Amino acid sequence: MTTRTDLVASLAIPPTGISWGDMQEALRDLTLQSFMASAPAPFLLEVGALASDLPAGLEPRLAALNGATLTNSRIHHLVHRNRPLVVGRSQQQSEIVLDDETVSKRHASLEPTQQGWRLVDLEAANGTWVEAARARVGVSTPVKWGGLIRFSNYRALLLSPQSLFALAVDLAPQAHSIKASLGPIPAKGTALRELIVRVKRLDRSLFAKHCSARFLLQIPNDTELEEEELTEDLPGAATRAISQSRILRLRRGKRVGLAWVHVLWPKSEGVVLGRGTADVEAVINEDSASKHHAKLRCSNGQWQITDLDSRNGTYVEGKRLEPGLARNLRPGQTLAFSSYRALFLGPEQLLSLLARTEA
């Protein structure tokens, strides 16, 4: 296993990159000088949907990102080897591998010159953009520091080691503090009342901005879900909002104290849910669930769920998933793993639930 010291000493970042959270952990307690000594080459920082809200220019973009949730993003290290670096989907044909099906196997190349970094589109099926301009096939296009590059749907910024370090050091304390305050959470989950105690210790605005976790809140089997929409009280909820009954019925009497919740942190390989084997990260207390029932994974900032060929099925809003096919999730949706039902919540929805328990 690569340790923090090993990662920084050799910066052994694989072609598929590493998560922003892993990079933050690697840089913790380091100085800029020690980082620069081991990482003189620039980086690609995945920004995903955040790209649409970024202002122009390096400094304004760094300021805008200092406060955004980047834990789901990936970092690629552009170590130049006296030839252009090929960026694409194929691990066999590319030095920088992007996990996006819309990216071509050999999508574009990046290369440093005396005038700065330049990009060439390699006849990508879905195109390459530098800022708002589409790159012409085979034509070298300059990319400035902080420049936004779009490889089809995959969006990333070109950052110097200094800029990356500054961003990581600024954001690391909040993200680390939130995870430390919430955890550790056992694989079987924890009682909602215990999680509420932990969340109350945190600054709620920072929790909403910087918490990258998602929450699976168990729905007691005797709770009926009605269709009364409540959009104003649940900012950022799904298009089809969480109904009032889904929240209020969970908190009436002792039910909110007995409800069970799993905390899901983004992992590159995903989080496997199941009935209770040693290699399951989230244990479902349901006899009818399969040992390896489903997987939740965050890719490019989008959470997805995949049924792992379970015997009794995985459901999103009552619709059974086809095994092996990933389905996008939105906060507020109802999931079912066989007869185990849960709400998929983001930080804002959890805070809304907390506010209701305090009312």
Side-chain angles (χ1 to χ4, degrees), residues 307-319:
D307 180 84
L308 300 179
D309 200 20
S310 64
R311 173 172 297 186
N312 293 314
T314 303
Y315 300 80
V316 177
E317 295 293 342
K319 296 182 180 180

Side-chain angles (χ1 to χ4, degrees), residues 249-271:
R249 288 176 183 244
L250 282 172
R251 77 176 180 90
R252 285 175 182 162
K254 297 181 180 180
R255 191 166 292 167
V256 69
L258 298 177
W260 208 249
V261 62
H262 288 87
V263 181
L264 310 176
W265 294 99
K267 298 175 61 178
S268 57
E269 65 273 21
V271 179

Side-chain angles (χ1 to χ4, degrees), residues 2 14 19 34 49 117 121 139 147 177 186 203-204 227 240 254 268 275-276 285 303 308 321 332 338:
T2 303
S19 71
S34 61
W117 280 79
D121 181 278
V139 176
S177 174
D203 181 290
R204 298 189 187 184
E227 298 305 321
R240 175 183 169 197
K254 297 181 180 180
S268 57
R275 196 174 66 239
N285 184 22
W303 280 84
L308 300 179
L321 302 183
S338 184

Side-chain angles (χ1 to χ4, degrees), residues 334-349:
T334 304
L335 310 182
F337 310 95
S338 184
S339 58
Y340 186 99
R341 298 185 301 164
L343 289 174
F344 179 73
L345 303 179
E348 289 181 315
Q349 289 76 44

